[in-house]
Amino acid sequence: MATSLNPNSSLELERLALEALALTNVGATEAAWQLFTSNKLDDIEDNHRILTVHGRLLKDLAQLRTNSSSELYASAADRYRLAARLSKSPYPLINAASLSVLKGDEKQGMVDARAVLACLEQSTGEYEDGPYFFHATAAEAYAILGNTQAAHRAFSRAVKAGPSAFDAQAGTRHQISKVLRSLNQEVDWLDEFRPGPVIQFAGSMHVSSLPEEIARRLEELVSKKPASMAIGALAAGADILIAEQLHRLGVELTIVLPQQVDQFIRHSVTPYGEDWIERCEALIDVADDIIIFGGDGYTKSSELLSSLQRLAAYKALGLAIKQANRWDTSVIQFTVTGNDQDNEKPPNSSITKSLVSLAKRSDITTISDNASPIGDKLLETKLPVLAVLRFNTAAQAQTFLLGSEGSSLAELARKKRCDFVILGQHLAFSSNELEAAGICLGIFKRSLASNKDARLSATFGSVSLENEKDESHAKSY
């Protein structure tokens, strides 16, 4: 039975609907649907905002429950269509049009698409959702009607109106491509509107100037299609040099640091000269976002700080991959390793090289000043290793770390001054304290009892991870 809202409950129910929308936006669609239906929001038919969320949830459920996707798409289209009648807005109606096409009702989809264009023609050129969605909605309607040239022109105007709206652009491209494939039409023209690549950068502290080849390749890349963003640290040397070049080229910077800013500057910038401090602070001032990965306690141990620096570098690469996947674009890695002086490795050269190795395994394009191949070594330095968990796949390592067991391990690591490093299919834990080592080792063994995809090796000394098969110092369980 349909339910009508009274003024007193309307705002609270709209808040619940927005909460459900937030859940499905982060992928928790089933939880969102449970929240929505348990509050009987699916019975409401006189509030266009709640109806729009209802349609969105049904659309997301259709992508999960493939056996009943056609019925769910039909129900979602009905909810959107009713919301459009109440709101007089083209936004829910274009969703109804696309969903009708996806469920196989092309005729109804075209009827709705024509109604959308008529609504847009009667407007002043913008409506409540802004100019991007005005033109993106028109592009989707033209695509449904088979007018590819008009769809291309409209989407061009949308991107011009929202050049940095990468999330919205990705959503529009995804929706239009699904519709075009359902109609057996070409989708290649959408590739033109993919944003520029996400750049991940890193390098040696022992570099005083940016190699000409790296500077040229950066400028060449950005001139073809501006990068959507760049992610890296700001240590003295290559980090700052690359970041300065990217800033000059107009690329937004996201900075990932292993410590609070003042501590990071003290450990990774100040020892290399006053000039680097000023340049680092200038880039921090213009950065679009700064992500602090560690805390105060990690500065007490140089070995733990080294592990945290490695983790922060891996996090920067992971963020680059995540954002590129979200925006349906690519990742390009820029690194500067520099020349080792007197055959001694700069302090962070192994981190840079392991980043390059990880990028290669992920099929990421790497542009480096080092012409020689990096190889597939996980690490090129020795760390005080407590335990190394070996998994069949990197995904299993991630799941183990981020799941319930992994959360407790990470918490223990913070309390006991242990640390972990994800190395492809390996998860390495390290500590300088024997007490912590013993406690962690016991937890690892209990955790592994129910995990058949991992094998544990442990040591209380320094073990080199250069050779994956080198377990001469390790004890296996």
Side-chain angles (χ1 to χ4, degrees):
M1 178 183 295
T3 300
S4 296
L5 290 178
N6 62 66
N8 294 328
S9 65
S10 178
L11 288 177
E12 173 61 17
L13 293 178
E14 286 184 10
R15 185 193 67 78
L16 289 170
L18 289 175
E19 188 175 334
L21 180 62
L23 284 171
T24 198
N25 279 341
V26 297
T29 301
E30 295 289 357
W33 184 243
Q34 172 63 28
L35 173 66
F36 197 82
T37 55
S38 64
N39 287 282
K40 301 188 183 302
L41 299 181
D42 53 327
D43 290 336
I44 294 172
E45 294 193 346
D46 64 347
N47 183 298
H48 69 89
R49 296 183 182 88
I50 294 177
L51 283 166
T52 298
V53 175
H54 193 177
R56 165 65 186 279
L57 293 177
L58 289 169
K59 179 175 74 170
D60 289 354
L61 284 172
Q63 298 177 52
L64 295 176
R65 304 175 183 178
T66 55
N67 291 336
S68 55
S69 60
S70 182
E71 294 84 352
L72 288 168
Y73 279 141
S75 297
D78 289 341
R79 296 298 87 189
Y80 275 125
R81 201 170 287 114
L82 180 55
R85 284 202 294 270
L86 293 174
S87 65
K88 311 299 183 186
S89 168
Y91 168 71
L93 190 55
I94 191 59
N95 278 281
S98 292
L99 292 172
S100 293
V101 171
L102 294 180
K103 76 180 182 68
D105 192 349
E106 296 178 15
K107 183 177 179 180
Q108 182 61 56
M110 295 177 73
V111 169
D112 290 336
R114 292 190 185 96
V116 165
L117 292 174
C119 182
L120 294 175
E121 288 172 0
Q122 293 172 5
S123 72
T124 59
E126 295 185 18
Y127 61 100
E128 59 180 338
D129 292 308
Y132 171 81
F133 286 103
F134 178 91
H135 297 298
T137 298
E140 195 169 336
Y142 283 124
I144 292 170
L145 295 171
N147 191 337
T148 301
Q149 290 184 343
H152 185 281
R153 288 194 298 270
F155 201 19
S156 296
R157 289 191 289 268
V159 172
K160 185 176 181 179
S164 298
F166 299 129
D167 285 325
Q169 292 175 24
T172 301
R173 287 196 310 275
H174 179 70
Q175 181 93 327
I176 292 178
S177 66
K178 288 181 66 175
V179 167
L180 291 176
R181 287 189 174 92
S182 181
L183 296 172
N184 294 317
Q185 295 182 16
E186 291 294 325
V187 299
D188 292 348
W189 62 271
L190 287 168
D191 291 341
E192 175 186 337
F193 300 103
R194 296 182 193 278
V198 176
I199 293 175
Q200 187 267 323
F201 62 92
S204 169
M205 296 178 183
H206 291 243
V207 177
S208 59
S209 61
L210 192 63
E212 292 183 5
E213 177 66 9
I214 295 296
R216 183 187 67 78
R217 295 290 295 275
L218 278 170
E219 187 168 358
E220 183 181 84
L221 176 70
V222 174
S223 65
K224 289 180 179 178
K225 178 172 282 191
S228 48
M229 68 184 302
I231 303 176
L234 284 179
D239 285 356
I240 289 177
L241 292 167
I242 296 174
E244 286 176 335
Q245 176 75 348
L246 289 167
H247 177 60
R248 283 193 291 269
L249 294 171
V251 180
E252 291 186 352
L253 299 174
T254 291
I255 304 303
V256 180
L257 302 180
Q259 303 165 276
Q260 296 296 326
V261 172
D262 59 336
Q263 295 173 340
F264 175 79
I265 291 176
R266 185 164 65 251
H267 285 91
S268 302
V269 182
T270 300
Y272 299 89
E274 291 291 328
D275 179 55
W276 291 114
I277 298 174
E278 295 178 5
R279 295 164 74 173
C280 177
E281 291 176 341
L283 288 167
I284 287 172
D285 288 340
V286 300
D288 186 63
D289 192 16
I290 298 176
I291 299 171
I292 308 297
F293 192 73
D296 296 345
Y298 287 101
T299 63
K300 297 177 182 178
S301 165
S302 60
E303 290 169 332
L304 288 180
L305 177 57
S306 176
S307 293
L308 197 61
Q309 288 171 337
R310 186 179 299 276
L311 281 172
Y314 290 173
K315 182 176 179 66
L317 179 59
L319 283 174
I321 295 171
K322 179 181 177 181
Q323 285 300 114
N325 290 340
R326 182 172 175 175
W327 295 337
D328 193 22
T329 187
S330 60
V331 178
I332 296 182
Q333 182 185 69
F334 278 85
T335 65
V336 176
T337 58
N339 295 319
D340 295 350
Q341 298 177 356
D342 300 325
N343 296 320
E344 293 182 1
K345 292 173 184 172
N348 61 340
S349 66
S350 68
I351 296 177
T352 302
K353 291 180 179 180
S354 62
L355 276 175
V356 173
S357 181
L358 288 174
K360 286 186 176 182
R361 294 174 192 169
S362 303
D363 293 325
I364 292 172
T365 299
T366 296
I367 298 174
S368 176
D369 65 323
N370 190 338
S372 61
I374 298 297
D376 290 327
K377 295 180 180 179
L378 294 178
L379 287 175
E380 295 190 356
T381 58
K382 291 187 176 182
L383 293 175
V385 175
L386 160 64
V388 179
L389 297 177
R390 300 171 186 269
F391 292 82
N392 292 334
T393 67
Q396 289 169 348
Q398 293 277 10
T399 300
F400 183 81
L401 176 63
L402 300 177
S404 59
E405 294 288 356
S407 297
S408 63
L409 291 176
E411 181 63 29
L412 182 69
R414 284 192 293 271
K415 290 180 179 179
K416 292 295 182 178
R417 291 179 61 195
C418 295
D419 211 342
F420 57 84
V421 181
I422 300 172
L423 303 165
Q425 295 174 208
H426 299 66
L427 197 58
F429 292 77
S430 64
S431 173
N432 289 328
E433 299 180 6
L434 291 179
E435 177 189 3
I439 293 173
C440 285
L441 188 56
I443 289 182
F444 293 159
K445 291 168 68 176
R446 289 197 298 273
S447 300
L448 288 169
S450 59
N451 192 325
K452 298 178 180 179
D453 294 317
R455 181 165 58 86
L456 172 66
S457 298
T459 179
F460 292 96
S462 291
V463 59
S464 172
L465 295 183
E466 287 187 22
N467 187 339
E468 296 183 27
K469 296 180 181 179
D470 181 9
E471 298 180 15
S472 57
H473 304 282
K475 194 174 182 180
S476 296
Y477 295 84

